[in-house]
PDB file of all heavy atoms in Angstrom:
ATOM      1  N   GLY B 128      63.608 -60.089   8.920  1.00 90.00           N
ATOM      2  CA  GLY B 128      62.987 -61.415   9.138  1.00 90.00           C
ATOM      3  C   GLY B 128      62.274 -61.476  10.514  1.00 90.00           C
ATOM      4  O   GLY B 128      61.218 -61.967  10.585  1.00 90.00           O
ATOM      5  N   LEU B 129      62.956 -60.964  11.549  1.00 91.00           N
ATOM      6  CA  LEU B 129      62.430 -60.989  12.787  1.00 91.00           C
ATOM      7  C   LEU B 129      61.059 -60.182  12.849  1.00 91.00           C
ATOM      8  O   LEU B 129      60.112 -60.532  13.443  1.00 91.00           O
ATOM      9  CB  LEU B 129      63.386 -60.403  13.825  1.00 91.00           C
ATOM     10  CG  LEU B 129      63.014 -60.535  15.333  1.00 91.00           C
ATOM     11  CD1 LEU B 129      62.933 -61.940  15.742  1.00 91.00           C
ATOM     12  CD2 LEU B 129      64.048 -59.707  16.177  1.00 91.00           C
ATOM     13  N   ARG B 130      61.222 -59.012  12.186  1.00 90.00           N
ATOM     14  CA  ARG B 130      59.935 -58.118  12.136  1.00 90.00           C
ATOM     15  C   ARG B 130      58.799 -58.813  11.598  1.00 90.00           C
ATOM     16  O   ARG B 130      57.727 -58.844  12.172  1.00 90.00           O
ATOM     17  CB  ARG B 130      60.326 -56.817  11.388  1.00 90.00           C
ATOM     18  CG  ARG B 130      59.065 -55.884  11.325  1.00 90.00           C
ATOM     19  CD  ARG B 130      59.493 -54.614  10.533  1.00 90.00           C
ATOM     20  NE  ARG B 130      59.919 -54.889   9.240  1.00 90.00           N
ATOM     21  CZ  ARG B 130      61.071 -54.354   8.714  1.00 90.00           C
ATOM     22  NH1 ARG B 130      61.793 -53.575   9.460  1.00 90.00           N
ATOM     23  NH2 ARG B 130      61.403 -54.612   7.478  1.00 90.00           N
ATOM     24  N   GLU B 131      58.989 -59.406  10.428  1.00 87.00           N
ATOM     25  CA  GLU B 131      57.904 -60.104   9.742  1.00 87.00           C
ATOM     26  C   GLU B 131      57.382 -61.317  10.567  1.00 87.00           C
ATOM     27  O   GLU B 131      56.236 -61.699  10.427  1.00 87.00           O
ATOM     28  CB  GLU B 131      58.282 -60.570   8.346  1.00 87.00           C
ATOM     29  CG  GLU B 131      58.636 -59.460   7.403  1.00 87.00           C
ATOM     30  CD  GLU B 131      57.548 -58.301   7.484  1.00 87.00           C
ATOM     31  OE1 GLU B 131      56.387 -58.590   7.375  1.00 87.00           O
ATOM     32  OE2 GLU B 131      57.963 -57.160   7.600  1.00 87.00           O
ATOM     33  N   GLY B 132      58.280 -61.855  11.437  1.00 89.00           N
ATOM     34  CA  GLY B 132      57.785 -62.900  12.300  1.00 89.00           C
ATOM     35  C   GLY B 132      57.041 -62.467  13.524  1.00 89.00           C
ATOM     36  O   GLY B 132      56.009 -63.073  13.887  1.00 89.00           O
ATOM     37  N   ILE B 133      57.439 -61.321  14.104  1.00 91.00           N
ATOM     38  CA  ILE B 133      56.811 -60.864  15.254  1.00 91.00           C
ATOM     39  C   ILE B 133      55.424 -60.205  14.987  1.00 91.00           C
ATOM     40  O   ILE B 133      54.561 -60.360  15.803  1.00 91.00           O
ATOM     41  CB  ILE B 133      57.774 -59.838  15.998  1.00 91.00           C
ATOM     42  CG1 ILE B 133      58.977 -60.628  16.532  1.00 91.00           C
ATOM     43  CG2 ILE B 133      57.022 -59.132  17.124  1.00 91.00           C
ATOM     44  CD1 ILE B 133      60.019 -59.722  17.197  1.00 91.00           C
ATOM     45  N   LYS B 134      55.345 -59.444  13.834  1.00 89.00           N
ATOM     46  CA  LYS B 134      54.168 -58.678  13.698  1.00 89.00           C
ATOM     47  C   LYS B 134      52.854 -59.521  13.719  1.00 89.00           C
ATOM     48  O   LYS B 134      51.967 -59.214  14.449  1.00 89.00           O
ATOM     49  CB  LYS B 134      54.228 -57.956  12.325  1.00 89.00           C
ATOM     50  CG  LYS B 134      55.034 -56.646  12.434  1.00 89.00           C
ATOM     51  CD  LYS B 134      54.960 -55.913  11.120  1.00 89.00           C
ATOM     52  CE  LYS B 134      53.682 -55.197  10.936  1.00 89.00           C
ATOM     53  NZ  LYS B 134      53.741 -54.209   9.834  1.00 89.00           N
ATOM     54  N   PRO B 135      52.763 -60.670  12.967  1.00 87.00           N
ATOM     55  CA  PRO B 135      51.567 -61.414  13.168  1.00 87.00           C
ATOM     56  C   PRO B 135      51.323 -61.973  14.485  1.00 87.00           C
ATOM     57  O   PRO B 135      50.213 -62.113  14.905  1.00 87.00           O
ATOM     58  CB  PRO B 135      51.752 -62.545  12.015  1.00 87.00           C
ATOM     59  CG  PRO B 135      53.207 -62.502  11.579  1.00 87.00           C
ATOM     60  CD  PRO B 135      53.673 -61.178  11.921  1.00 87.00           C
ATOM     61  N   LEU B 136      52.463 -62.285  15.197  1.00 89.00           N
ATOM     62  CA  LEU B 136      52.277 -62.829  16.555  1.00 89.00           C
ATOM     63  C   LEU B 136      51.661 -61.738  17.434  1.00 89.00           C
ATOM     64  O   LEU B 136      50.708 -62.059  18.226  1.00 89.00           O
ATOM     65  CB  LEU B 136      53.583 -63.236  17.117  1.00 89.00           C
ATOM     66  CG  LEU B 136      54.095 -64.614  16.610  1.00 89.00           C
ATOM     67  CD1 LEU B 136      55.492 -64.946  17.293  1.00 89.00           C
ATOM     68  CD2 LEU B 136      53.213 -65.691  16.952  1.00 89.00           C
ATOM     69  N   LEU B 137      52.128 -60.543  17.299  1.00 90.00           N
ATOM     70  CA  LEU B 137      51.517 -59.427  18.085  1.00 90.00           C
ATOM     71  C   LEU B 137      50.065 -59.197  17.782  1.00 90.00           C
ATOM     72  O   LEU B 137      49.219 -58.900  18.631  1.00 90.00           O
ATOM     73  CB  LEU B 137      52.278 -58.135  17.868  1.00 90.00           C
ATOM     74  CG  LEU B 137      53.621 -57.948  18.597  1.00 90.00           C
ATOM     75  CD1 LEU B 137      54.263 -56.735  18.287  1.00 90.00           C
ATOM     76  CD2 LEU B 137      53.384 -58.028  20.164  1.00 90.00           C
ATOM     77  N   GLU B 138      49.767 -59.419  16.466  1.00 87.00           N
ATOM     78  CA  GLU B 138      48.297 -59.195  16.064  1.00 87.00           C
ATOM     79  C   GLU B 138      47.467 -60.174  16.701  1.00 87.00           C
ATOM     80  O   GLU B 138      46.254 -59.925  16.939  1.00 87.00           O
ATOM     81  CB  GLU B 138      48.179 -59.308  14.493  1.00 87.00           C
ATOM     82  CG  GLU B 138      48.450 -57.973  13.770  1.00 87.00           C
ATOM     83  CD  GLU B 138      48.462 -58.194  12.388  1.00 87.00           C
ATOM     84  OE1 GLU B 138      47.760 -58.926  11.760  1.00 87.00           O
ATOM     85  OE2 GLU B 138      49.471 -57.446  11.683  1.00 87.00           O
ATOM     86  N   LEU B 139      47.974 -61.403  17.054  1.00 89.00           N
ATOM     87  CA  LEU B 139      47.214 -62.311  17.729  1.00 89.00           C
ATOM     88  C   LEU B 139      46.624 -61.869  19.092  1.00 89.00           C
ATOM     89  O   LEU B 139      45.600 -62.232  19.545  1.00 89.00           O
ATOM     90  CB  LEU B 139      47.933 -63.671  17.954  1.00 89.00           C
ATOM     91  CG  LEU B 139      48.255 -64.484  16.661  1.00 89.00           C
ATOM     92  CD1 LEU B 139      48.890 -65.830  17.065  1.00 89.00           C
ATOM     93  CD2 LEU B 139      46.914 -64.759  15.916  1.00 89.00           C
ATOM     94  N   LEU B 140      47.400 -60.952  19.697  1.00 89.00           N
ATOM     95  CA  LEU B 140      46.974 -60.384  21.046  1.00 89.00           C
ATOM     96  C   LEU B 140      45.612 -59.718  20.800  1.00 89.00           C
ATOM     97  O   LEU B 140      44.826 -59.761  21.754  1.00 89.00           O
ATOM     98  CB  LEU B 140      47.978 -59.332  21.458  1.00 89.00           C
ATOM     99  CG  LEU B 140      49.097 -59.762  22.402  1.00 89.00           C
ATOM    100  CD1 LEU B 140      49.949 -58.612  22.722  1.00 89.00           C
ATOM    101  CD2 LEU B 140      48.572 -60.312  23.642  1.00 89.00           C
ATOM    102  N   SER B 141      45.345 -59.089  19.698  1.00 86.00           N
ATOM    103  CA  SER B 141      44.061 -58.457  19.478  1.00 86.00           C
ATOM    104  C   SER B 141      43.094 -59.343  18.945  1.00 86.00           C
ATOM    105  O   SER B 141      41.878 -58.944  18.735  1.00 86.00           O
ATOM    106  CB  SER B 141      44.265 -57.113  18.590  1.00 86.00           C
ATOM    107  OG  SER B 141      44.760 -57.580  17.357  1.00 86.00           O
ATOM    108  N   ALA B 142      43.399 -60.559  18.697  1.00 88.00           N
ATOM    109  CA  ALA B 142      42.432 -61.567  18.244  1.00 88.00           C
ATOM    110  C   ALA B 142      41.790 -62.379  19.393  1.00 88.00           C
ATOM    111  O   ALA B 142      40.781 -62.998  19.179  1.00 88.00           O
ATOM    112  CB  ALA B 142      43.107 -62.602  17.364  1.00 88.00           C
ATOM    113  N   VAL B 143      42.351 -62.215  20.579  1.00 92.00           N
ATOM    114  CA  VAL B 143      41.766 -62.812  21.752  1.00 92.00           C
ATOM    115  C   VAL B 143      40.444 -62.139  22.160  1.00 92.00           C
ATOM    116  O   VAL B 143      40.473 -60.850  22.279  1.00 92.00           O
ATOM    117  CB  VAL B 143      42.717 -62.965  22.920  1.00 92.00           C
ATOM    118  CG1 VAL B 143      42.111 -63.517  24.178  1.00 92.00           C
ATOM    119  CG2 VAL B 143      43.973 -63.686  22.524  1.00 92.00           C
ATOM    120  N   PRO B 144      39.344 -62.759  22.240  1.00 94.00           N
ATOM    121  CA  PRO B 144      38.100 -62.100  22.587  1.00 94.00           C
ATOM    122  C   PRO B 144      38.246 -61.419  23.983  1.00 94.00           C
ATOM    123  O   PRO B 144      38.912 -61.863  24.897  1.00 94.00           O
ATOM    124  CB  PRO B 144      37.043 -63.226  22.731  1.00 94.00           C
ATOM    125  CG  PRO B 144      37.628 -64.258  21.904  1.00 94.00           C
ATOM    126  CD  PRO B 144      39.079 -64.236  21.991  1.00 94.00           C
ATOM    127  N   THR B 145      37.578 -60.314  24.113  1.00 94.00           N
ATOM    128  CA  THR B 145      37.775 -59.428  25.347  1.00 94.00           C
ATOM    129  C   THR B 145      37.165 -60.230  26.602  1.00 94.00           C
ATOM    130  O   THR B 145      37.665 -59.909  27.701  1.00 94.00           O
ATOM    131  CB  THR B 145      37.106 -58.099  25.270  1.00 94.00           C
ATOM    132  OG1 THR B 145      35.757 -58.270  24.817  1.00 94.00           O
ATOM    133  CG2 THR B 145      37.862 -57.310  24.132  1.00 94.00           C
TER     134      THR B 145
END
Side-chain angles (χ1 to χ4, degrees):
Chain B
L129 187 65
R130 176 176 62 228
E131 295 313 310
I133 288 176
K134 278 185 78 171
L136 282 180
L137 279 176
E138 273 170 43
L139 288 185
L140 268 180
S141 55
V143 175
T145 53

